[in-house]
Amino acid sequence: MTRVTLVATLVLSFAVGQVAFAQSLETVLTFDPTAGEIPESVAVDGDGNVFFSMGNGIRKLDSNGQLSTFGSLPIAAFALGVKVGPDDCVYTVSTSLNPDVPGAFVWRICAADEVEQFAELDQTGAPNDLAFDDDGSLFVTDPALGRIWKITPEGEPSIWLSDPALAGNPDAPILVFRPVGVDGIAFDKHKENLYVSNLDAGAILRIPVQSGGTPGSIATFVQSSQLLGADGIAFDKKGTLYVTVNAQDTLVSIAPDGAITVLGTGGLLDGPSSVAFGTTSGMKRTLYITSSAFSRAFGFQPGVPHPALLKLQVPRKGLRLP
């Protein structure tokens, strides 16, 4: 896809999406980008507390609407993907944009301000998002190395899968500043397949999990210009996949047969990067969305950045995690 074609696609999507979200997308919180308030990933625990990564820490919005800092990393790195583990602890990965500062770690926070290193990964990489299987093993994407890590419940990492299909495109990086490959990650309902987004490829990939936990052959679930810049992903209970398309300021849903529906573009959506379902009674059809505004905040894209935590009511309940 040429840059001209991409721009045309973005303009068309914006015109369509503004109407789709006119009455349904809501702002939960807004942030100040000049203070480094750039939310990246979001997760919800069983009590309805919402956790999101911001800068080098994790913020918590409790079920009473109180906002606090849940934990700050002890290093100068960005906290990215966030998930609540089977032990009810909050897990996040970190990435450093400074080559002189090691930043490729997984962290665990089991109580406010109690941040511990859970695992160290390849420091030449940039871990991004994570998902748990039923055995408590953690799978972590690395879009810089085109790799998926598997980390045991004891914190021992190994390379689960490394493949060119997981790599970014150095000749046409969608986010301009660097290639970004495998990014968002989620298991399907029965944990038989692991789904991941490839941001530069505009694709959602499906990886069977074989007996013994080894990966099967990668298959393309869907690939489209509408998915260029695909970032965070989350399933509902019927197998519909919700995808934040960061580079196009867009949220889409993908039906089990691969049909893409653009739910909205532009407006409150500014570099959306992550999605997560509510968990408590009455909130299981609520989809939380981080609008990171990353590209505008750092000058990679023109315009005033509007980082925010958003929510949207969707037709079906989210898939329970983990």
Side-chain angles (χ1 to χ4, degrees):
M1 173 180 261
T2 66
R3 292 289 176 186
V4 173
T5 304
L6 177 58
V7 170
T9 301
L10 298 181
V11 172
L12 177 61
S13 297
F14 184 87
V16 173
Q18 283 289 83
V19 175
F21 269 154
Q23 311 214 347
S24 53
L25 190 68
E26 300 177 49
T27 300
V28 180
L29 295 170
T30 59
F31 304 109
D32 179 4
T34 64
E37 295 182 341
I38 305 297
E40 208 281 338
S41 185
V42 61
V44 186
D45 71 9
D47 295 323
N49 299 304
V50 180
F51 299 89
F52 54 94
S53 54
M54 179 177 285
N56 81 324
I58 303 298
R59 301 282 183 93
K60 176 183 177 181
L61 180 67
D62 71 21
S63 55
N64 295 316
Q66 296 298 310
L67 182 64
S68 62
T69 296
F70 189 60
S72 298
L73 306 185
I75 59 172
F78 288 97
L80 298 179
V82 178
K83 287 292 189 302
V84 178
D87 55 3
D88 293 325
C89 296
V90 174
Y91 289 75
T92 186
V93 296
S94 63
T95 293
S96 172
L97 298 182
N98 183 345
D100 297 325
V101 177
F105 298 96
V106 181
W107 306 88
R108 178 169 59 193
I109 312 173
C110 296
D113 298 322
E114 295 182 7
V115 181
E116 60 178 330
Q117 181 183 314
F118 181 66
E120 180 175 358
L121 305 179
D122 188 331
Q123 293 298 341
T124 64
N128 186 275
D129 202 4
L130 58 168
F132 284 92
D133 69 10
D134 286 338
D135 297 325
S137 294
L138 186 59
F139 292 75
V140 178
T141 59
D142 191 318
L145 297 177
R147 176 181 299 177
I148 300 173
W149 294 90
K150 182 177 182 179
I151 305 173
T152 68
E154 294 73 38
E156 294 296 326
S158 61
I159 299 172
W160 187 69
L161 182 62
S162 183
D163 191 279
L166 305 178
N169 183 356
D171 296 325
I174 297 304
L175 294 184
V176 181
F177 71 102
R178 72 175 183 188
V180 180
V182 60
D183 200 290
I185 183 170
F187 279 98
D188 61 11
K189 185 174 183 178
H190 300 293
K191 304 290 177 74
E192 295 175 345
N193 298 281
L194 190 62
Y195 285 74
V196 295
S197 62
N198 184 313
L199 194 141
D200 281 350
I204 304 296
L205 307 175
R206 181 177 59 242
I207 308 165
V209 181
Q210 303 180 128
S211 59
T214 58
S217 298
I218 299 175
T220 300
F221 172 50
V222 62
Q223 186 169 22
S224 168
S225 61
Q226 292 175 298
L227 297 177
L228 284 167
D231 201 332
I233 61 177
F235 277 105
D236 72 12
K237 285 192 171 183
K238 295 295 184 180
T240 295
L241 187 66
Y242 289 84
V243 184
T244 52
V245 188
N246 193 321
Q248 300 192 46
D249 298 335
T250 298
L251 178 70
V252 306
S253 64
I254 305 177
D257 64 0
I260 300 171
T261 299
V262 177
L263 300 177
T265 301
L268 296 177
L269 289 169
D270 185 353
S273 53
S274 180
V275 282
F277 279 91
T279 59
T280 56
S281 177
M283 298 297 289
K284 294 181 180 180
R285 292 184 176 88
T286 299
L287 188 70
Y288 290 95
I289 306 147
T290 49
S291 207
S292 72
F294 176 85
S295 291
R296 291 183 176 88
F298 286 91
F300 300 120
Q301 190 175 346
V304 178
H306 295 288
L309 177 66
L310 311 171
K311 67 179 180 180
L312 175 70
Q313 301 304 310
V314 296
R316 299 185 183 92
K317 297 177 181 179
L319 188 62
R320 184 176 178 178
L321 299 176

Coordinates of all heavy atoms in Angstrom, one line a residue, residues 72-160:
S72 N 5.0 1.9 40.3 CA 6.0 2.5 39.4 C 7.2 1.6 39.2 O 7.7 1.1 40.2 CB 6.4 3.9 39.9 OG 5.3 4.8 40.1
L73 N 7.6 1.5 38.0 CA 8.8 0.6 37.7 C 10.0 1.3 38.3 O 10.2 2.5 38.2 CB 8.9 0.4 36.2 CG 7.7 -0.1 35.4 CD1 8.1 -0.4 34.0 CD2 7.2 -1.4 36.1
P74 N 11.0 0.5 38.7 CA 12.2 1.0 39.3 C 13.2 1.4 38.2 O 14.4 1.6 38.6 CB 12.7 -0.1 40.2 CG 12.2 -1.4 39.5 CD 10.9 -1.0 38.9
I75 N 12.8 1.4 37.0 CA 13.8 1.8 35.9 C 13.1 2.8 35.0 O 11.9 3.0 35.0 CB 14.1 0.5 35.0 CG1 12.9 -0.1 34.4 CG2 14.9 -0.5 35.8 CD1 13.2 -1.2 33.3
A76 N 13.9 3.5 34.2 CA 13.4 4.5 33.3 C 13.0 3.9 32.0 O 13.7 3.9 31.0 CB 14.5 5.6 33.0
A77 N 11.9 3.2 32.0 CA 11.4 2.5 30.8 C 9.9 2.7 30.7 O 9.2 3.1 31.7 CB 11.7 1.0 30.9
F78 N 9.3 2.4 29.6 CA 7.8 2.5 29.4 C 7.2 1.2 29.8 O 7.5 0.1 29.3 CB 7.5 2.9 27.9 CG 7.9 4.3 27.6 CD1 9.1 4.6 26.9 CD2 7.0 5.3 27.8 CE1 9.4 5.9 26.6 CE2 7.3 6.6 27.5 CZ 8.5 6.9 26.8
A79 N 6.1 1.3 30.6 CA 5.3 0.2 30.8 C 4.3 0.1 29.7 O 3.7 1.1 29.3 CB 4.5 0.3 32.2
L80 N 4.1 -1.1 29.1 CA 3.3 -1.3 28.0 C 2.1 -2.2 28.3 O 1.2 -1.9 29.1 CB 4.1 -1.7 26.7 CG 5.2 -0.7 26.3 CD1 5.9 -1.3 25.1 CD2 4.6 0.6 25.9
G81 N 2.1 -3.5 27.7 CA 1.0 -4.4 27.9 C 0.7 -4.6 29.4 O 1.6 -4.7 30.2
V82 N -0.6 -4.8 29.7 CA -1.0 -5.0 31.1 C -2.0 -6.2 31.1 O -2.9 -6.2 30.2 CB -1.7 -3.8 31.7 CG1 -2.2 -4.1 33.1 CG2 -0.7 -2.6 31.8
K83 N -1.9 -7.1 32.0 CA -2.9 -8.2 32.2 C -3.0 -8.5 33.7 O -2.0 -8.3 34.4 CB -2.5 -9.4 31.4 CG -2.7 -9.4 29.9 CD -4.2 -9.3 29.5 CE -4.4 -9.4 28.0 NZ -3.7 -8.4 27.2
V84 N -4.2 -9.0 34.1 CA -4.3 -9.5 35.4 C -4.2 -11.0 35.4 O -4.8 -11.7 34.6 CB -5.7 -9.1 36.0 CG1 -5.9 -9.7 37.4 CG2 -5.9 -7.6 36.0
G85 N -3.2 -11.5 36.2 CA -2.9 -12.9 36.1 C -3.9 -13.8 36.9 O -4.7 -13.3 37.6
P86 N -3.7 -15.1 36.8 CA -4.6 -16.1 37.5 C -4.4 -16.0 39.0 O -5.2 -16.4 39.8 CB -4.2 -17.4 37.0 CG -2.8 -17.2 36.4 CD -2.8 -15.8 35.9
D87 N -3.3 -15.3 39.5 CA -3.0 -15.1 40.9 C -3.5 -13.8 41.4 O -3.3 -13.3 42.5 CB -1.5 -15.2 41.2 CG -0.7 -14.2 40.3 OD1 -1.3 -13.5 39.5 OD2 0.6 -14.3 40.4
D88 N -4.3 -13.1 40.5 CA -4.9 -11.8 40.7 C -3.9 -10.6 40.8 O -4.2 -9.5 41.3 CB -5.8 -11.8 42.0 CG -7.0 -12.6 41.8 OD1 -7.6 -12.6 40.7 OD2 -7.4 -13.3 42.8
C89 N -2.6 -10.9 40.5 CA -1.6 -9.9 40.4 C -1.6 -9.2 39.1 O -2.1 -9.8 38.1 CB -0.2 -10.5 40.7 SG 0.0 -11.2 42.3
V90 N -1.2 -8.0 39.0 CA -1.1 -7.3 37.7 C 0.3 -7.5 37.1 O 1.3 -7.3 37.8 CB -1.4 -5.8 38.0 CG1 -1.2 -5.0 36.7 CG2 -2.8 -5.6 38.5
Y91 N 0.3 -7.8 35.9 CA 1.6 -8.1 35.2 C 1.7 -7.0 34.1 O 0.7 -6.7 33.4 CB 1.6 -9.4 34.5 CG 1.8 -10.6 35.5 CD1 0.7 -11.0 36.3 CD2 3.0 -11.2 35.7 CE1 0.8 -12.0 37.2 CE2 3.1 -12.2 36.6 CZ 2.0 -12.6 37.4 OH 2.2 -13.6 38.3
T92 N 2.9 -6.5 33.8 CA 3.1 -5.6 32.8 C 4.5 -5.8 32.2 O 5.4 -6.4 32.9 CB 3.0 -4.1 33.2 OG1 3.1 -3.2 32.1 CG2 4.1 -3.8 34.2
V93 N 4.7 -5.5 30.9 CA 6.0 -5.6 30.3 C 6.5 -4.2 30.1 O 5.8 -3.2 30.1 CB 6.0 -6.3 28.9 CG1 5.5 -7.7 29.1 CG2 5.0 -5.5 28.0
S94 N 7.9 -4.0 30.0 CA 8.5 -2.7 29.9 C 9.4 -2.7 28.7 O 10.0 -3.8 28.3 CB 9.2 -2.3 31.1 OG 10.3 -3.2 31.4
T95 N 9.6 -1.6 28.1 CA 10.5 -1.4 26.9 C 11.2 0.0 27.1 O 10.6 1.0 27.5 CB 9.7 -1.4 25.6 OG1 9.1 -2.7 25.4 CG2 10.5 -1.0 24.4
S96 N 12.5 0.0 26.8 CA 13.2 1.2 26.9 C 13.5 1.7 25.5 O 13.9 0.9 24.6 CB 14.6 0.9 27.6 OG 15.4 2.1 27.5
L97 N 13.3 3.0 25.2 CA 13.7 3.5 23.9 C 15.1 4.1 23.9 O 15.6 4.6 22.9 CB 12.7 4.7 23.6 CG 11.2 4.2 23.5 CD1 10.3 5.4 23.1 CD2 11.1 3.1 22.5
N98 N 15.8 3.9 25.0 CA 17.2 4.4 25.2 C 18.1 3.1 25.1 O 18.0 2.3 26.0 CB 17.4 5.1 26.5 CG 18.8 5.7 26.7 OD1 19.7 5.3 25.9 ND2 19.0 6.6 27.6
P99 N 18.9 3.0 24.1 CA 19.7 1.8 24.0 C 20.7 1.6 25.1 O 21.2 0.5 25.4 CB 20.5 2.0 22.7 CG 20.4 3.5 22.4 CD 19.2 3.9 23.0
D100 N 21.0 2.6 25.9 CA 21.9 2.5 27.0 C 21.1 2.1 28.3 O 21.8 1.9 29.4 CB 22.6 3.9 27.3 CG 23.4 4.3 26.1 OD1 24.0 3.4 25.5 OD2 23.5 5.5 25.8
V101 N 19.8 2.0 28.3 CA 19.0 1.6 29.5 C 18.3 0.3 29.2 O 17.4 0.2 28.4 CB 18.0 2.7 29.8 CG1 17.2 2.2 31.0 CG2 18.7 4.0 30.1
P102 N 18.7 -0.8 29.9 CA 18.0 -2.1 29.7 C 16.6 -1.9 30.1 O 16.3 -1.4 31.2 CB 18.8 -3.0 30.6 CG 20.1 -2.4 30.8 CD 19.9 -0.9 30.8
G103 N 15.6 -2.4 29.3 CA 14.2 -2.2 29.6 C 13.3 -3.4 29.4 O 12.1 -3.3 29.7
A104 N 13.9 -4.5 28.8 CA 13.0 -5.6 28.4 C 12.8 -6.5 29.6 O 13.5 -7.5 29.8 CB 13.7 -6.3 27.2
F105 N 11.7 -6.2 30.3 CA 11.4 -7.0 31.5 C 9.9 -7.3 31.6 O 9.1 -6.6 31.0 CB 11.8 -6.3 32.8 CG 13.3 -6.0 32.9 CD1 13.8 -4.8 32.5 CD2 14.1 -7.0 33.5 CE1 15.2 -4.5 32.7 CE2 15.5 -6.7 33.6 CZ 16.0 -5.5 33.2
V106 N 9.5 -8.3 32.4 CA 8.2 -8.5 32.8 C 8.1 -8.2 34.3 O 9.0 -8.7 35.1 CB 7.7 -9.9 32.5 CG1 6.2 -10.1 33.0 CG2 7.8 -10.2 31.1
W107 N 7.1 -7.5 34.8 CA 7.0 -7.1 36.2 C 5.7 -7.6 36.7 O 4.7 -7.7 36.0 CB 7.0 -5.5 36.3 CG 8.2 -4.9 35.6 CD1 8.3 -4.5 34.3 CD2 9.5 -4.7 36.2 NE1 9.6 -4.0 34.1 CE2 10.3 -4.1 35.3 CE3 10.0 -4.8 37.5 CZ2 11.6 -3.7 35.5 CZ3 11.3 -4.5 37.8 CH2 12.1 -3.9 36.8
R108 N 5.6 -7.8 38.0 CA 4.5 -8.3 38.7 C 4.2 -7.3 39.9 O 5.1 -7.0 40.7 CB 4.6 -9.7 39.2 CG 3.4 -10.3 40.0 CD 3.6 -11.8 40.2 NE 4.8 -12.1 41.0 CZ 5.2 -13.4 41.1 NH1 4.6 -14.3 40.5 NH2 6.3 -13.6 41.8
I109 N 2.9 -7.0 40.0 CA 2.5 -6.1 41.1 C 1.3 -6.8 41.8 O 0.2 -6.8 41.3 CB 2.1 -4.7 40.7 CG1 3.1 -4.1 39.7 CG2 1.9 -3.8 41.8 CD1 2.7 -2.8 39.0
C110 N 1.5 -7.3 43.0 CA 0.4 -8.0 43.8 C -0.2 -7.1 44.8 O -1.3 -7.5 45.3 CB 1.0 -9.3 44.4 SG 1.6 -10.5 43.2
A111 N 0.3 -6.0 45.1 CA -0.3 -5.0 46.0 C 0.3 -3.6 45.6 O 1.4 -3.5 45.0 CB 0.1 -5.3 47.4
A112 N -0.4 -2.6 46.0 CA 0.0 -1.2 45.6 C 1.4 -1.0 46.0 O 1.8 -1.2 47.2 CB -1.0 -0.2 46.2
D113 N 2.2 -0.4 45.1 CA 3.6 0.0 45.3 C 4.6 -1.2 45.6 O 5.7 -0.9 45.9 CB 3.7 1.0 46.5 CG 2.9 2.2 46.2 OD1 2.9 2.7 45.1 OD2 2.3 2.8 47.2
E114 N 4.1 -2.4 45.4 CA 5.0 -3.6 45.5 C 5.3 -4.2 44.1 O 4.7 -5.2 43.7 CB 4.4 -4.6 46.5 CG 4.2 -4.1 47.9 CD 3.6 -5.1 48.8 OE1 3.5 -6.3 48.4 OE2 3.3 -4.8 50.0
V115 N 6.3 -3.5 43.5 CA 6.6 -3.9 42.1 C 7.8 -4.9 42.2 O 8.9 -4.5 42.8 CB 7.0 -2.7 41.2 CG1 7.3 -3.1 39.8 CG2 5.8 -1.7 41.2
E116 N 7.7 -6.1 41.6 CA 8.8 -7.0 41.5 C 9.1 -7.4 40.1 O 8.2 -7.6 39.3 CB 8.6 -8.2 42.4 CG 7.4 -9.0 42.0 CD 7.2 -10.2 42.9 OE1 8.2 -10.8 43.4 OE2 6.0 -10.6 43.1
Q117 N 10.4 -7.6 39.8 CA 10.8 -8.2 38.5 C 10.4 -9.6 38.4 O 10.8 -10.4 39.3 CB 12.3 -8.0 38.3 CG 12.7 -8.5 36.9 CD 14.2 -8.4 36.7 OE1 14.8 -7.3 37.1 NE2 14.9 -9.5 36.3
F118 N 9.6 -10.0 37.4 CA 9.2 -11.4 37.2 C 10.0 -12.1 36.2 O 10.3 -13.3 36.4 CB 7.7 -11.4 36.7 CG 7.1 -12.7 36.5 CD1 6.9 -13.6 37.6 CD2 6.8 -13.2 35.3 CE1 6.4 -14.8 37.4 CE2 6.2 -14.4 35.1 CZ 6.0 -15.3 36.2
A119 N 10.5 -11.4 35.2 CA 11.4 -12.1 34.2 C 12.1 -11.0 33.4 O 11.7 -9.9 33.2 CB 10.5 -12.9 33.2
E120 N 13.3 -11.4 33.0 CA 14.1 -10.6 32.1 C 14.1 -11.2 30.7 O 14.4 -12.4 30.6 CB 15.5 -10.4 32.6 CG 16.4 -9.5 31.7 CD 17.7 -9.1 32.2 OE1 18.0 -9.6 33.3 OE2 18.5 -8.4 31.5
L121 N 13.9 -10.4 29.7 CA 13.9 -10.9 28.3 C 15.1 -10.4 27.5 O 16.0 -9.7 28.1 CB 12.6 -10.5 27.6 CG 11.3 -10.9 28.4 CD1 10.1 -10.5 27.6 CD2 11.3 -12.5 28.5
D122 N 15.2 -10.6 26.3 CA 16.3 -10.2 25.4 C 16.3 -8.7 25.4 O 15.4 -8.0 24.9 CB 16.1 -10.8 24.0 CG 17.3 -10.6 23.1 OD1 18.1 -9.6 23.3 OD2 17.5 -11.4 22.2
Q123 N 17.4 -8.1 25.8 CA 17.5 -6.6 25.9 C 17.6 -5.9 24.5 O 17.5 -4.7 24.5 CB 18.6 -6.2 26.8 CG 18.4 -6.6 28.3 CD 17.2 -5.9 28.9 OE1 16.7 -4.9 28.4 NE2 16.7 -6.5 30.0
T124 N 17.8 -6.7 23.5 CA 17.8 -6.1 22.1 C 16.4 -6.0 21.6 O 16.2 -5.4 20.5 CB 18.6 -6.9 21.2 OG1 18.1 -8.2 21.0 CG2 20.1 -7.1 21.7
G125 N 15.4 -6.5 22.3 CA 14.0 -6.5 21.9 C 13.2 -5.4 22.5 O 13.7 -4.5 23.2
A126 N 11.9 -5.5 22.3 CA 11.0 -4.5 22.9 C 9.6 -5.2 23.2 O 8.7 -5.1 22.4 CB 10.8 -3.4 21.9
P127 N 9.5 -5.9 24.3 CA 8.3 -6.6 24.6 C 7.1 -5.7 24.6 O 7.2 -4.5 25.1 CB 8.5 -7.3 25.9 CG 9.7 -6.5 26.5 CD 10.5 -6.1 25.3
N128 N 5.9 -6.2 24.2 CA 4.8 -5.3 24.0 C 3.5 -5.7 24.8 O 2.9 -4.9 25.5 CB 4.5 -5.1 22.6 CG 3.4 -4.0 22.3 OD1 2.2 -4.3 22.3 ND2 3.9 -2.8 22.1
D129 N 3.0 -6.9 24.5 CA 1.7 -7.3 25.1 C 1.8 -8.7 25.6 O 2.8 -9.5 25.3 CB 0.6 -7.2 24.0 CG -0.8 -7.0 24.7 OD1 -0.9 -7.0 25.9 OD2 -1.7 -7.0 23.9
L130 N 0.8 -9.2 26.4 CA 0.9 -10.4 27.1 C -0.5 -11.1 27.3 O -1.5 -10.4 27.3 CB 1.6 -10.3 28.4 CG 1.1 -9.3 29.5 CD1 1.8 -9.6 30.8 CD2 1.3 -7.9 29.1
A131 N -0.4 -12.4 27.4 CA -1.7 -13.2 27.6 C -1.3 -14.5 28.4 O -0.2 -15.0 28.2 CB -2.3 -13.6 26.3
F132 N -2.2 -14.9 29.2 CA -2.0 -16.1 30.0 C -2.8 -17.3 29.4 O -3.9 -17.2 28.9 CB -2.6 -15.9 31.5 CG -1.7 -15.1 32.3 CD1 -1.9 -13.7 32.4 CD2 -0.6 -15.6 33.0 CE1 -1.1 -12.9 33.2 CE2 0.2 -14.8 33.9 CZ 0.0 -13.5 33.9
D133 N -2.2 -18.5 29.6 CA -2.9 -19.7 29.2 C -3.5 -20.3 30.5 O -3.4 -19.7 31.6 CB -2.0 -20.7 28.5 CG -0.9 -21.3 29.4 OD1 -0.9 -21.1 30.6 OD2 -0.1 -22.1 28.8
D134 N -4.2 -21.4 30.4 CA -4.9 -22.0 31.6 C -3.9 -22.6 32.6 O -4.3 -22.8 33.8 CB -5.8 -23.1 31.1 CG -7.1 -22.5 30.5 OD1 -7.4 -21.4 30.8 OD2 -7.7 -23.2 29.7
D135 N -2.7 -22.8 32.2 CA -1.7 -23.3 33.2 C -0.9 -22.2 33.9 O 0.0 -22.5 34.7 CB -0.7 -24.3 32.4 CG -1.4 -25.5 31.8 OD1 -2.3 -26.0 32.5 OD2 -1.0 -25.9 30.7
G136 N -1.2 -21.0 33.6 CA -0.6 -19.9 34.2 C 0.7 -19.4 33.5 O 1.4 -18.6 34.0
S137 N 1.0 -20.0 32.4 CA 2.2 -19.6 31.6 C 1.8 -18.3 30.9 O 0.6 -18.1 30.5 CB 2.6 -20.6 30.6 OG 3.1 -21.8 31.2
L138 N 2.8 -17.4 30.7 CA 2.6 -16.1 30.2 C 3.2 -16.0 28.8 O 4.4 -16.4 28.6 CB 3.2 -15.1 31.1 CG 3.0 -13.6 30.8 CD1 1.6 -13.2 30.8 CD2 3.8 -12.8 31.8
F139 N 2.5 -15.6 27.8 CA 3.0 -15.4 26.4 C 3.1 -13.9 26.2 O 2.2 -13.1 26.4 CB 2.0 -16.0 25.4 CG 1.9 -17.5 25.5 CD1 1.3 -18.1 26.6 CD2 2.6 -18.3 24.6 CE1 1.2 -19.5 26.7 CE2 2.6 -19.7 24.7 CZ 1.9 -20.3 25.7
V140 N 4.3 -13.5 25.7 CA 4.7 -12.1 25.5 C 5.1 -11.9 24.1 O 6.0 -12.6 23.6 CB 5.8 -11.7 26.5 CG1 6.2 -10.2 26.3 CG2 5.3 -11.9 27.9
T141 N 4.5 -10.9 23.4 CA 4.9 -10.5 22.1 C 6.1 -9.6 22.1 O 6.3 -8.8 23.0 CB 3.8 -9.8 21.3 OG1 3.4 -8.6 22.0 CG2 2.6 -10.7 21.2
D142 N 7.0 -9.7 21.1 CA 8.1 -8.8 20.9 C 8.1 -8.3 19.4 O 8.6 -9.1 18.6 CB 9.4 -9.4 21.2 CG 10.6 -8.4 21.3 OD1 10.6 -7.5 20.4 OD2 11.4 -8.4 22.2
P143 N 7.5 -7.2 19.1 CA 7.4 -6.7 17.7 C 8.7 -6.3 17.1 O 8.8 -6.2 15.9 CB 6.5 -5.5 17.8 CG 6.6 -5.0 19.2 CD 6.9 -6.2 20.1
A144 N 9.8 -6.0 17.9 CA 11.1 -5.7 17.4 C 11.8 -6.9 16.9 O 12.5 -6.8 15.9 CB 11.9 -4.9 18.4
L145 N 11.7 -8.0 17.6 CA 12.4 -9.2 17.3 C 11.6 -10.2 16.5 O 12.1 -11.3 16.1 CB 12.9 -9.9 18.6 CG 13.9 -9.1 19.4 CD1 14.3 -9.9 20.7 CD2 15.2 -8.8 18.6
G146 N 10.3 -9.9 16.3 CA 9.4 -10.8 15.6 C 9.3 -12.2 16.3 O 9.5 -13.2 15.8
R147 N 8.9 -12.1 17.6 CA 9.1 -13.2 18.5 C 7.9 -13.2 19.5 O 7.4 -12.2 19.9 CB 10.4 -13.1 19.2 CG 10.7 -14.1 20.3 CD 12.1 -13.9 20.9 NE 13.2 -13.9 19.9 CZ 14.4 -13.7 20.2 NH1 14.8 -13.3 21.4 NH2 15.4 -13.8 19.3
I148 N 7.6 -14.4 20.0 CA 6.7 -14.6 21.1 C 7.4 -15.4 22.2 O 7.9 -16.5 21.9 CB 5.4 -15.3 20.7 CG1 4.6 -14.5 19.6 CG2 4.5 -15.6 21.9 CD1 3.4 -15.3 19.0
W149 N 7.5 -14.9 23.3 CA 8.1 -15.6 24.5 C 7.0 -16.4 25.2 O 5.8 -16.0 25.3 CB 8.7 -14.6 25.5 CG 9.8 -13.8 24.9 CD1 9.8 -12.6 24.3 CD2 11.2 -14.1 25.1 NE1 11.0 -12.1 24.0 CE2 11.9 -13.1 24.4 CE3 11.9 -15.2 25.6 CZ2 13.3 -13.1 24.4 CZ3 13.3 -15.2 25.6 CH2 14.0 -14.2 25.0
K150 N 7.5 -17.4 25.9 CA 6.6 -18.1 26.8 C 7.4 -18.2 28.2 O 8.6 -18.5 28.3 CB 6.4 -19.6 26.4 CG 5.4 -20.4 27.3 CD 5.1 -21.8 26.8 CE 4.2 -22.5 27.7 NZ 3.9 -23.9 27.2
I151 N 6.7 -17.7 29.2 CA 7.3 -17.6 30.5 C 6.5 -18.5 31.5 O 5.3 -18.4 31.6 CB 7.3 -16.1 31.0 CG1 7.9 -15.2 30.0 CG2 8.0 -16.0 32.4 CD1 7.8 -13.8 30.3
T152 N 7.2 -19.4 32.2 CA 6.6 -20.3 33.1 C 6.0 -19.5 34.3 O 6.4 -18.4 34.6 CB 7.5 -21.3 33.7 OG1 8.5 -20.7 34.5 CG2 8.2 -22.1 32.5
P153 N 5.1 -20.1 35.1 CA 4.6 -19.5 36.3 C 5.7 -19.1 37.3 O 5.5 -18.3 38.2 CB 3.6 -20.5 36.9 CG 3.2 -21.3 35.7 CD 4.4 -21.4 34.9
E154 N 6.9 -19.8 37.2 CA 8.0 -19.5 38.0 C 8.9 -18.3 37.5 O 9.9 -17.9 38.1 CB 8.9 -20.7 38.2 CG 8.2 -21.8 39.0 CD 7.1 -22.5 38.2 OE1 7.3 -22.7 37.0 OE2 6.1 -22.9 38.7
G155 N 8.5 -17.8 36.3 CA 9.3 -16.7 35.7 C 10.4 -17.1 34.8 O 11.3 -16.2 34.5
E156 N 10.4 -18.3 34.3 CA 11.5 -18.7 33.4 C 11.1 -18.5 32.0 O 10.1 -19.1 31.5 CB 11.9 -20.2 33.6 CG 12.5 -20.5 35.0 CD 13.8 -19.8 35.2 OE1 14.5 -19.7 34.2 OE2 14.1 -19.4 36.3
P157 N 11.8 -17.7 31.2 CA 11.4 -17.4 29.8 C 12.1 -18.3 28.8 O 13.2 -18.8 29.0 CB 11.9 -15.9 29.6 CG 13.1 -15.8 30.5 CD 12.9 -16.7 31.7
S158 N 11.4 -18.5 27.7 CA 12.0 -19.2 26.6 C 11.3 -18.7 25.3 O 10.2 -18.2 25.4 CB 11.8 -20.8 26.7 OG 10.4 -21.1 26.7
I159 N 11.9 -18.9 24.2 CA 11.3 -18.4 22.9 C 10.3 -19.5 22.5 O 10.7 -20.6 22.2 CB 12.4 -18.2 21.8 CG1 13.4 -17.1 22.3 CG2 11.8 -17.8 20.5 CD1 14.6 -17.0 21.3
W160 N 9.1 -19.1 22.4 CA 8.0 -20.0 22.0 C 7.9 -20.1 20.5 O 7.7 -21.1 19.9 CB 6.7 -19.6 22.6 CG 5.5 -20.5 22.4 CD1 5.4 -21.8 23.0 CD2 4.4 -20.3 21.6 NE1 4.2 -22.4 22.6 CE2 3.6 -21.5 21.7 CE3 3.9 -19.3 20.8 CZ2 2.3 -21.6 21.1 CZ3 2.7 -19.4 20.2 CH2 1.9 -20.6 20.3

